[in-house]
């Protein structure tokens, strides 16, 4: 690399600028969706927005730190082992000591007036990082004996998934399972495994839904069963379990093409209990309109496509799998959130990237951007050399 080219000159603005725009829009929507709730509870209307802003400042600092690191440091197995131990212990601590359920599930570490942190949000990125590092170092083994090369990794992640399901948090557990499948398929494994996995995934999804409908009430928590019931027919319990989903529909219908105007949502005023989290995008449509909502989605999908493209073009196994995994995390999160609020799939509580209120979610997605920016600069440096 020529001496006159600094790393800051290799910054990928095609990823950074969409991230900054989406983050600012997210801060605006957090303020808009939380003001009524804060006012009703007698608290400052800007409290949640300030907390989100604080997490964003921390996110920007974290992106800067990660970007300045060398990719060789990010591949350090000792560093990764320490991170895996910390996150696994955090999952167990939360499981043992969090006694206050949120929407039927546990999994939050309370930070007093600063809000909460959800370790499982960080686990999504750590699983990608863990698999990318280890699979990149086992490329020769993957072609010789795929199962022998991954069984130890899967046992570690499997333990973490079991703990999450015991919370119970089936939504995030499903996200991690999907990420593991994508990471394994992007590791250079024989294409036949991809075909087998696709068939197993389709058959498994069908059997899961059938099993839940038939005998789910005997072994699944009540709130999970109710979500499947709402998914099938929300208007069957319009003033009960289906209330949230139906008013999410009303919010999107109210918005039309141009929206009611920022801050003018009707549904956030007591109708949509989770307007600032699960249904944040419904309020985006109601206040800003369908056209702006499509622009936001377009910007996000452009960023995701660019991230995945960096991974596809990379000849470095770690860089490739990290980008494909991170791009998939964004894509899965968007699909599950939008699928839930539109009734395509059951509600899971998965947040919409950058738009939903949540410090842990914002920080994790921002760290993902830091990783991708670093990898993008590394790929540009290799191309120059």
């Amino acid at each position: 690399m020529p001496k006159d080219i600094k790393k800051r000159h290799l910054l990928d603005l095609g990823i950074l600028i969409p991230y900054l725009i989406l983050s600012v829009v997210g801060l605006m929507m957090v303020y808009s969706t939380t003001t009524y709730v804060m006012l009703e509870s007698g608290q400052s209307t800007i409290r949640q927005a300030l907390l989100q802003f604080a997490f964003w400042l921390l996110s920007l600092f974290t992106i800067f730190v990660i970007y300045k690191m060398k990719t060789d440091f990010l591949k350090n197995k000792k560093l990764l082992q320490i991170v895996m131990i910390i996150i696994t212990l955090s999952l167990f601590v939360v499981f043992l000591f969090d006694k206050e359920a949120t929407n039927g599930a546990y999994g939050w570490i309370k930070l007093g007036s600063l809000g909460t942190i959800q370790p499982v949000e960080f686990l999504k990125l750590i699983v990608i990082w863990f698999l990318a590092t280890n699979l990149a170092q086992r490329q020769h083994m993957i072609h010789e004996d795929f199962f022998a090369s991954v069984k130890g990794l899967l046992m570690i992640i499997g333990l973490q998934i079991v703990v999450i399901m015991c919370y119970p948090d089936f939504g995030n557990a499903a996200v991690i399972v999907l990420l593991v499948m994508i990471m394994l398929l992007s590791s250079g494994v024989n294409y036949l495994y991809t075909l087998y996995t696709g068939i197993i995934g389709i058959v498994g999804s069908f059997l899961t839904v059938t099993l839940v409908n038939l005998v789910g009430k005997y072994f699944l928590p009540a709130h999970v069963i109710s979500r499947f019931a709402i998914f099938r027919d929300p208007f069957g319990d319009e003033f009960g379990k289906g209330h949230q989903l139906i008013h999410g529909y009303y919010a999107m219908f109210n918005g039309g093409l141009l929206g009611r105007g920022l801050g003018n949502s009707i549904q956030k005023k007591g109708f949509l209990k989770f307007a600032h989290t699960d249904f944040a995008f419904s309020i985006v449509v109601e206040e800003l309109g369908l056209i702006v909502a499509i622009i936001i989605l377009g910007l996000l999908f452009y960023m995701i496509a660019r991230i995945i493209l960096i991974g596809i073009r990379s000849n470095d196994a770690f860089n490739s799998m990290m980008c494909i995994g991170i791009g998939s995390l964004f894509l899965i999160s968007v699909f599950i959130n939008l699928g839930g609020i539109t009734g395509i799939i059951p509600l899971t509580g998965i947040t919409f990237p950058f738009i939903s209120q949540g410090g842990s979610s914002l920080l994790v997605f921002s760290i993902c951007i830091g990783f991708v920016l670093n990898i993008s600069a590394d790929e540009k440096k290799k191309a120059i050399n």
Side-chain angles (χ1 to χ4, degrees):
M1 179 177 173
K3 292 182 179 180
D4 58 331
I5 297 181
K6 305 290 186 181
K7 194 171 185 179
R8 64 175 179 271
H9 298 141
L10 302 176
L11 193 60
D12 195 330
L13 297 180
I15 292 173
L16 181 62
I17 291 176
Y19 162 74
L20 294 174
I21 293 172
L22 290 167
S23 298
V24 171
V25 172
L27 290 172
M28 289 166 48
M29 293 312 303
V30 168
Y31 175 70
S32 177
T33 54
T34 58
T35 48
Y36 184 79
V37 176
M38 292 292 99
L39 196 62
E40 268 201 327
S41 62
Q43 300 181 63
S44 170
T45 56
I46 64 170
R47 181 177 182 275
Q48 290 297 333
L50 284 176
L51 281 175
Q52 191 79 353
F53 181 69
F55 270 101
W56 187 52
L57 291 179
L58 177 60
S59 298
L60 291 175
F61 175 74
T62 307
I63 288 174
F64 174 77
V65 171
I66 293 174
Y67 184 70
K68 297 295 286 184
M69 292 178 179
K70 293 183 178 180
T71 52
D72 287 341
F73 178 75
L74 297 175
K75 299 175 187 178
N76 190 302
K77 292 191 74 172
K78 289 186 177 179
L79 171 65
L80 195 52
Q81 287 171 357
I82 293 171
V83 172
M84 282 296 286
I85 291 171
I86 291 172
I87 193 66
T88 304
L89 289 176
S90 299
L91 292 174
F92 277 105
V93 167
V94 169
F95 176 67
L96 294 173
F97 297 104
D98 182 16
K99 304 302 181 184
E100 186 178 342
T102 303
N103 304 326
Y106 302 84
W108 283 263
I109 296 175
K110 276 70 176 178
L111 300 177
S113 60
L114 295 178
T116 60
I117 287 182
Q118 194 176 11
V120 71
E121 290 288 346
F122 294 89
L123 179 63
K124 298 173 191 176
L125 171 59
I126 292 169
V127 163
I128 295 170
W129 187 12
F130 176 71
L131 288 175
T133 302
N134 284 281
L135 292 174
Q137 295 173 355
R138 302 182 185 192
Q139 287 294 292
H140 63 287
M141 295 175 60
I142 288 173
H143 298 287
E144 296 173 3
D145 192 341
F146 175 70
F147 290 107
S149 63
V150 302
K151 64 181 181 181
L153 308 178
L154 295 182
M155 287 176 64
I156 296 171
I157 297 172
L159 173 64
Q160 295 168 332
I161 292 173
V162 169
V163 175
I164 295 168
M165 292 181 70
C166 289
Y167 280 179
D169 186 350
F170 292 95
N172 280 312
V175 171
I176 293 171
V177 169
L178 287 172
L179 286 173
V180 170
M181 290 172 62
I182 291 169
M183 294 297 292
L184 292 179
L185 294 177
S186 65
S187 66
V189 68
N190 190 295
Y191 74 94
L192 288 176
Y193 285 107
T194 305
L195 179 62
Y196 297 151
T197 303
I199 295 171
I200 292 170
I202 293 170
V203 174
S205 299
F206 175 77
L207 291 177
T208 299
V209 173
T210 304
L211 190 64
V212 169
N213 289 333
L214 292 176
V215 296
K217 62 182 178 180
Y218 299 111
F219 66 90
L220 288 176
H223 75 280
V224 175
I225 297 300
S226 68
R227 286 177 179 178
F228 273 87
I230 295 165
F231 158 67
R232 291 197 305 269
D233 181 19
F235 289 93
D237 191 10
E238 184 175 354
F239 301 103
K241 301 294 186 181
H243 178 84
Q244 283 289 115
L245 185 56
I246 290 171
H247 281 278
Y249 293 158
Y250 291 160
M252 290 183 281
F253 178 78
N254 289 342
L257 288 176
L258 302 177
R260 297 178 55 85
L262 185 63
N264 294 329
S265 166
I266 297 172
Q267 297 305 314
K268 71 181 181 183
K269 298 177 180 177
F271 297 103
L272 270 174
K273 184 179 179 183
F274 306 112
H276 56 297
T277 53
D278 298 20
F279 287 87
F281 201 78
S282 298
I283 305 301
V284 168
V285 178
E286 185 179 16
E287 294 191 348
L288 304 181
L290 182 61
I291 293 175
V292 173
I294 291 173
I295 292 172
I296 290 172
L297 282 175
L299 198 60
L300 186 55
F301 285 138
Y302 167 78
M303 187 176 71
I304 292 170
R306 193 171 178 86
I307 291 171
I308 293 175
L309 191 60
I310 292 170
I312 292 173
R313 289 176 172 174
S314 174
N315 292 319
D316 184 289
F318 172 80
N319 290 353
S320 179
M321 282 185 280
M322 276 300 298
C323 287
I324 291 173
I326 287 171
S328 300
L329 173 59
F330 278 103
L331 202 58
I332 291 168
S333 301
V334 172
F335 172 76
I336 291 180
N337 182 272
L338 292 186
I341 67 176
T342 55
I344 297 174
I345 61 174
L347 288 165
T348 59
I350 302 298
T351 56
F352 192 94
F354 306 119
I355 304 298
S356 297
Q357 186 265 333
S360 298
S361 175
L362 176 60
L363 184 56
V364 169
F365 284 124
S366 297
I367 293 172
C368 287
I369 296 298
F371 269 91
V372 173
L373 290 174
N374 194 328
I375 290 169
S376 177
D378 183 59
E379 290 298 318
K380 288 179 181 178
K381 181 174 69 175
K382 290 176 182 176
I384 292 171
N385 291 335

PDB file of all heavy atoms in Angstrom, residues 8 23 29 52 68 76 86 91 131 141 150 166 216 225 235-236 252 278 305 329 359:
ATOM      1  N   ARG A   8      -8.061   6.131   6.357  1.00  0.00           N
ATOM      2  CA  ARG A   8      -9.280   6.948   6.273  1.00  0.00           C
ATOM      3  C   ARG A   8      -9.673   7.216   4.816  1.00  0.00           C
ATOM      4  O   ARG A   8     -10.827   7.497   4.522  1.00  0.00           O
ATOM      5  CB  ARG A   8      -9.096   8.267   7.035  1.00  0.00           C
ATOM      6  CG  ARG A   8      -8.035   9.193   6.473  1.00  0.00           C
ATOM      7  CD  ARG A   8      -8.023  10.518   7.225  1.00  0.00           C
ATOM      8  NE  ARG A   8      -6.999  11.433   6.723  1.00  0.00           N
ATOM      9  CZ  ARG A   8      -5.759  11.495   7.152  1.00  0.00           C
ATOM     10  NH1 ARG A   8      -5.375  10.647   8.123  1.00  0.00           N
ATOM     11  NH2 ARG A   8      -4.887  12.351   6.654  1.00  0.00           N
ATOM     12  N   SER A  23     -29.585   5.909  10.875  1.00  0.00           N
ATOM     13  CA  SER A  23     -29.463   6.150  12.314  1.00  0.00           C
ATOM     14  C   SER A  23     -30.165   7.444  12.720  1.00  0.00           C
ATOM     15  O   SER A  23     -30.857   7.493  13.742  1.00  0.00           O
ATOM     16  CB  SER A  23     -27.985   6.215  12.722  1.00  0.00           C
ATOM     17  OG  SER A  23     -27.337   5.003  12.467  1.00  0.00           O
ATOM     18  N   MET A  29     -37.485   8.802  14.895  1.00  0.00           N
ATOM     19  CA  MET A  29     -38.647   7.940  15.133  1.00  0.00           C
ATOM     20  C   MET A  29     -38.726   7.480  16.584  1.00  0.00           C
ATOM     21  O   MET A  29     -39.820   7.307  17.124  1.00  0.00           O
ATOM     22  CB  MET A  29     -38.599   6.727  14.192  1.00  0.00           C
ATOM     23  CG  MET A  29     -38.775   7.072  12.717  1.00  0.00           C
ATOM     24  SD  MET A  29     -40.174   8.177  12.360  1.00  0.00           S
ATOM     25  CE  MET A  29     -41.556   7.238  13.050  1.00  0.00           C
ATOM     26  N   GLN A  52     -31.251   6.729  23.536  1.00  0.00           N
ATOM     27  CA  GLN A  52     -30.909   6.184  22.220  1.00  0.00           C
ATOM     28  C   GLN A  52     -29.758   6.971  21.598  1.00  0.00           C
ATOM     29  O   GLN A  52     -28.859   6.394  20.966  1.00  0.00           O
ATOM     30  CB  GLN A  52     -32.146   6.229  21.304  1.00  0.00           C
ATOM     31  CG  GLN A  52     -32.007   5.452  20.008  1.00  0.00           C
ATOM     32  CD  GLN A  52     -32.203   3.955  20.175  1.00  0.00           C
ATOM     33  OE1 GLN A  52     -32.326   3.457  21.289  1.00  0.00           O
ATOM     34  NE2 GLN A  52     -32.242   3.235  19.071  1.00  0.00           N
ATOM     35  N   LYS A  68     -10.125   1.192  13.137  1.00  0.00           N
ATOM     36  CA  LYS A  68      -8.682   1.429  13.284  1.00  0.00           C
ATOM     37  C   LYS A  68      -7.916   0.127  13.531  1.00  0.00           C
ATOM     38  O   LYS A  68      -6.697   0.080  13.370  1.00  0.00           O
ATOM     39  CB  LYS A  68      -8.425   2.406  14.430  1.00  0.00           C
ATOM     40  CG  LYS A  68      -9.019   3.796  14.227  1.00  0.00           C
ATOM     41  CD  LYS A  68      -8.379   4.522  13.055  1.00  0.00           C
ATOM     42  CE  LYS A  68      -6.993   4.996  13.366  1.00  0.00           C
ATOM     43  NZ  LYS A  68      -6.406   5.791  12.272  1.00  0.00           N
ATOM     44  N   ASN A  76      -7.994 -12.958  15.942  1.00  0.00           N
ATOM     45  CA  ASN A  76      -7.282 -13.527  17.096  1.00  0.00           C
ATOM     46  C   ASN A  76      -8.193 -14.473  17.882  1.00  0.00           C
ATOM     47  O   ASN A  76      -9.225 -14.054  18.413  1.00  0.00           O
ATOM     48  CB  ASN A  76      -6.784 -12.395  17.995  1.00  0.00           C
ATOM     49  CG  ASN A  76      -5.848 -12.896  19.075  1.00  0.00           C
ATOM     50  OD1 ASN A  76      -6.211 -13.747  19.872  1.00  0.00           O
ATOM     51  ND2 ASN A  76      -4.641 -12.363  19.103  1.00  0.00           N
ATOM     52  N   ILE A  86     -17.437 -14.570  27.975  1.00  0.00           N
ATOM     53  CA  ILE A  86     -18.204 -13.465  28.575  1.00  0.00           C
ATOM     54  C   ILE A  86     -19.674 -13.540  28.166  1.00  0.00           C
ATOM     55  O   ILE A  86     -20.575 -13.427  29.013  1.00  0.00           O
ATOM     56  CB  ILE A  86     -17.602 -12.101  28.174  1.00  0.00           C
ATOM     57  CG1 ILE A  86     -16.236 -11.912  28.829  1.00  0.00           C
ATOM     58  CG2 ILE A  86     -18.536 -10.959  28.577  1.00  0.00           C
ATOM     59  CD1 ILE A  86     -15.483 -10.687  28.342  1.00  0.00           C
ATOM     60  N   LEU A  91     -25.397 -14.945  29.349  1.00  0.00           N
ATOM     61  CA  LEU A  91     -26.655 -15.637  29.062  1.00  0.00           C
ATOM     62  C   LEU A  91     -27.131 -16.430  30.274  1.00  0.00           C
ATOM     63  O   LEU A  91     -28.317 -16.421  30.614  1.00  0.00           O
ATOM     64  CB  LEU A  91     -26.470 -16.582  27.864  1.00  0.00           C
ATOM     65  CG  LEU A  91     -26.220 -15.925  26.500  1.00  0.00           C
ATOM     66  CD1 LEU A  91     -25.904 -16.992  25.457  1.00  0.00           C
ATOM     67  CD2 LEU A  91     -27.412 -15.098  26.069  1.00  0.00           C
ATOM     68  N   LEU A 131     -17.843 -18.163  14.078  1.00  0.00           N
ATOM     69  CA  LEU A 131     -17.831 -19.121  12.977  1.00  0.00           C
ATOM     70  C   LEU A 131     -16.901 -18.670  11.846  1.00  0.00           C
ATOM     71  O   LEU A 131     -16.188 -19.489  11.264  1.00  0.00           O
ATOM     72  CB  LEU A 131     -19.249 -19.328  12.445  1.00  0.00           C
ATOM     73  CG  LEU A 131     -20.191 -20.132  13.352  1.00  0.00           C
ATOM     74  CD1 LEU A 131     -21.598 -20.165  12.773  1.00  0.00           C
ATOM     75  CD2 LEU A 131     -19.674 -21.548  13.565  1.00  0.00           C
ATOM     76  N   MET A 141      -9.917 -28.630   6.264  1.00  0.00           N
ATOM     77  CA  MET A 141     -10.675 -29.706   6.902  1.00  0.00           C
ATOM     78  C   MET A 141     -12.103 -29.795   6.369  1.00  0.00           C
ATOM     79  O   MET A 141     -12.682 -30.875   6.307  1.00  0.00           O
ATOM     80  CB  MET A 141     -10.716 -29.488   8.420  1.00  0.00           C
ATOM     81  CG  MET A 141      -9.373 -29.573   9.106  1.00  0.00           C
ATOM     82  SD  MET A 141      -9.496 -29.161  10.867  1.00  0.00           S
ATOM     83  CE  MET A 141     -10.641 -30.422  11.444  1.00  0.00           C
ATOM     84  N   VAL A 150     -16.840 -29.119  12.051  1.00  0.00           N
ATOM     85  CA  VAL A 150     -17.795 -28.157  12.608  1.00  0.00           C
ATOM     86  C   VAL A 150     -18.513 -28.639  13.869  1.00  0.00           C
ATOM     87  O   VAL A 150     -19.157 -27.839  14.541  1.00  0.00           O
ATOM     88  CB  VAL A 150     -18.864 -27.762  11.552  1.00  0.00           C
ATOM     89  CG1 VAL A 150     -18.213 -27.171  10.321  1.00  0.00           C
ATOM     90  CG2 VAL A 150     -19.752 -28.942  11.180  1.00  0.00           C
ATOM     91  N   CYS A 166     -34.744 -21.453  26.670  1.00  0.00           N
ATOM     92  CA  CYS A 166     -35.277 -21.629  28.033  1.00  0.00           C
ATOM     93  C   CYS A 166     -35.762 -20.311  28.634  1.00  0.00           C
ATOM     94  O   CYS A 166     -36.420 -20.311  29.670  1.00  0.00           O
ATOM     95  CB  CYS A 166     -34.206 -22.244  28.940  1.00  0.00           C
ATOM     96  SG  CYS A 166     -33.830 -23.969  28.589  1.00  0.00           S
ATOM     97  N   GLY A 216     -48.773 -27.845  20.219  1.00  0.00           N
ATOM     98  CA  GLY A 216     -47.960 -26.789  20.807  1.00  0.00           C
ATOM     99  C   GLY A 216     -48.406 -26.369  22.189  1.00  0.00           C
ATOM    100  O   GLY A 216     -47.589 -26.015  23.048  1.00  0.00           O
ATOM    101  N   ILE A 225     -47.848 -19.588  21.821  1.00  0.00           N
ATOM    102  CA  ILE A 225     -49.048 -20.164  21.221  1.00  0.00           C
ATOM    103  C   ILE A 225     -49.986 -19.062  20.737  1.00  0.00           C
ATOM    104  O   ILE A 225     -50.546 -19.137  19.639  1.00  0.00           O
ATOM    105  CB  ILE A 225     -49.785 -21.066  22.230  1.00  0.00           C
ATOM    106  CG1 ILE A 225     -48.903 -22.247  22.639  1.00  0.00           C
ATOM    107  CG2 ILE A 225     -51.097 -21.581  21.636  1.00  0.00           C
ATOM    108  CD1 ILE A 225     -48.495 -23.136  21.502  1.00  0.00           C
ATOM    109  N   PHE A 235     -58.163 -10.999  13.529  1.00  0.00           N
ATOM    110  CA  PHE A 235     -59.484 -10.410  13.747  1.00  0.00           C
ATOM    111  C   PHE A 235     -60.406 -11.343  14.537  1.00  0.00           C
ATOM    112  O   PHE A 235     -61.493 -10.947  14.931  1.00  0.00           O
ATOM    113  CB  PHE A 235     -60.130 -10.047  12.411  1.00  0.00           C
ATOM    114  CG  PHE A 235     -59.461  -8.877  11.740  1.00  0.00           C
ATOM    115  CD1 PHE A 235     -58.443  -9.078  10.820  1.00  0.00           C
ATOM    116  CD2 PHE A 235     -59.831  -7.576  12.048  1.00  0.00           C
ATOM    117  CE1 PHE A 235     -57.803  -8.008  10.208  1.00  0.00           C
ATOM    118  CE2 PHE A 235     -59.199  -6.497  11.437  1.00  0.00           C
ATOM    119  CZ  PHE A 235     -58.192  -6.710  10.515  1.00  0.00           C
ATOM    120  N   GLY A 236     -59.955 -12.584  14.758  1.00  0.00           N
ATOM    121  CA  GLY A 236     -60.733 -13.506  15.586  1.00  0.00           C
ATOM    122  C   GLY A 236     -60.720 -13.102  17.047  1.00  0.00           C
ATOM    123  O   GLY A 236     -61.582 -13.525  17.826  1.00  0.00           O
ATOM    124  N   MET A 252     -50.474   1.581   9.242  1.00  0.00           N
ATOM    125  CA  MET A 252     -49.960   1.609   7.870  1.00  0.00           C
ATOM    126  C   MET A 252     -51.009   2.107   6.887  1.00  0.00           C
ATOM    127  O   MET A 252     -50.693   2.794   5.914  1.00  0.00           O
ATOM    128  CB  MET A 252     -49.441   0.214   7.480  1.00  0.00           C
ATOM    129  CG  MET A 252     -48.168  -0.177   8.223  1.00  0.00           C
ATOM    130  SD  MET A 252     -47.474  -1.781   7.725  1.00  0.00           S
ATOM    131  CE  MET A 252     -48.535  -2.905   8.628  1.00  0.00           C
ATOM    132  N   ASP A 278     -41.310  -3.252  18.318  1.00  0.00           N
ATOM    133  CA  ASP A 278     -41.741  -4.185  17.281  1.00  0.00           C
ATOM    134  C   ASP A 278     -42.423  -3.483  16.103  1.00  0.00           C
ATOM    135  O   ASP A 278     -42.210  -3.846  14.945  1.00  0.00           O
ATOM    136  CB  ASP A 278     -42.721  -5.218  17.858  1.00  0.00           C
ATOM    137  CG  ASP A 278     -42.093  -6.068  18.938  1.00  0.00           C
ATOM    138  OD1 ASP A 278     -41.070  -5.650  19.498  1.00  0.00           O
ATOM    139  OD2 ASP A 278     -42.615  -7.152  19.230  1.00  0.00           O
ATOM    140  N   ALA A 305     -26.950  -5.189   0.270  1.00  0.00           N
ATOM    141  CA  ALA A 305     -26.407  -5.751  -0.967  1.00  0.00           C
ATOM    142  C   ALA A 305     -24.928  -5.431  -1.108  1.00  0.00           C
ATOM    143  O   ALA A 305     -24.126  -6.280  -1.545  1.00  0.00           O
ATOM    144  CB  ALA A 305     -27.178  -5.210  -2.168  1.00  0.00           C
ATOM    145  N   LEU A 329     -27.625 -11.157   8.669  1.00  0.00           N
ATOM    146  CA  LEU A 329     -28.234 -10.719   9.927  1.00  0.00           C
ATOM    147  C   LEU A 329     -29.172  -9.537   9.690  1.00  0.00           C
ATOM    148  O   LEU A 329     -30.298  -9.510  10.188  1.00  0.00           O
ATOM    149  CB  LEU A 329     -27.146 -10.341  10.938  1.00  0.00           C
ATOM    150  CG  LEU A 329     -27.630  -9.700  12.249  1.00  0.00           C
ATOM    151  CD1 LEU A 329     -28.588 -10.628  12.989  1.00  0.00           C
ATOM    152  CD2 LEU A 329     -26.449  -9.331  13.139  1.00  0.00           C
ATOM    153  N   GLY A 359     -31.133   0.202  22.748  1.00  0.00           N
ATOM    154  CA  GLY A 359     -29.704   0.495  22.754  1.00  0.00           C
ATOM    155  C   GLY A 359     -28.854  -0.686  22.328  1.00  0.00           C
ATOM    156  O   GLY A 359     -27.893  -0.526  21.565  1.00  0.00           O
TER     157      GLY A 359
END
